[in-house]
Amino acid sequence: MSQHKDIKRTNIQTLQAMKVKGEKIAMLTTYDYTMATILDQAGVDILLVGDSAANVMAGYESTLPITLEHMIYHAQCVVRGAKQAFILVDLPFGTYQGNPRDALSAAIRVMKESGAQGIKVEGGAEIIDSVKAILSAGIPVMGHLGLTPQSINQLGGYGLQGKSEAEANKLLEDATLLQEAGCFSVLLEKIPAALGKKISESLHIPTISIGAGKYCDGQVLVVQDMMGMNKGFKPKFLREYANLFEVMTGAVQQYISDVKDNSYPASHEQY
Ligand code: KIV
């Protein structure tokens, strides 16, 4: 008889129950072992290995260049550090659009090679066959609508989405389609709070907001942004919970000064 470990990790049932109870879901991005350990031990519900790794880890201007291999590497690092959070991984640009078979094999690679618990993909009706293919393998999928950074060249910028009635209706239709296909959650990025409220109230699955207002069932931020490490990046929705840019700069300057004036290492810091 096979033995199963007593799994305490957050799962899609836990997240659904949180929506039913009205308990908000706290999600953050992370891409490496050390940060994943800290965020997990602090009690974050979902850790997203976002393709924003392309920006904050690799320094690219958009999320388009990141590869499946890069995402699997970051996911492996996070999985080694996080024991309780639900770990979700973005499928990168070009691995799921247009071809459900490719989508399924990319998602299976992520799940097999990283040990994460789910996949996130950007888009609605236009990728629904890929979403269904991934779901058919028993892989939990979170949809991502509104500002979808992988479509930046079509959107023409990182502005507010869903402003017109037609856009808002399309977003509600896409969210409903993703729910009907079997997605466990939908992330809504940079849309008016009233639209975030309408979509959240009409779906029975949890919605996660980044710039979609307080009525969504949960919130997500890029960890470097909420820690104040990304100097000069201050969108309206961002709340900075620390100013690590200043703290880290100060620490490094102190270290440089201590090395230069030979006050580091002191006698108790050497063998
Ligand atoms: O990759 C990412 O960081 C995202 C954000 C919207 C949270 O998808």
Side-chain angles (χ1 to χ4, degrees), residues 11-22 25 183-185 203-206:
N11 57 36
I12 58 172
Q13 288 74 21
T14 328
L15 297 167
Q16 182 61 43
M18 288 170 81
K19 164 129 186 169
V20 172
K21 281 188 281 180
I25 298 167
C183 288
F184 75 93
S185 173
L203 296 190
H204 60 74
I205 57 173

Side-chain angles (χ1 to χ4, degrees), residues 2 12 46 49 72 85 90 121 146-147 198 216 260 262:
S2 69
I12 58 172
I46 305 179
V49 184
I72 291 171
D90 267 334
V121 285
L147 175 58
K198 188 172 177 187
C216 292
K260 303 263 180 210
N262 210 18

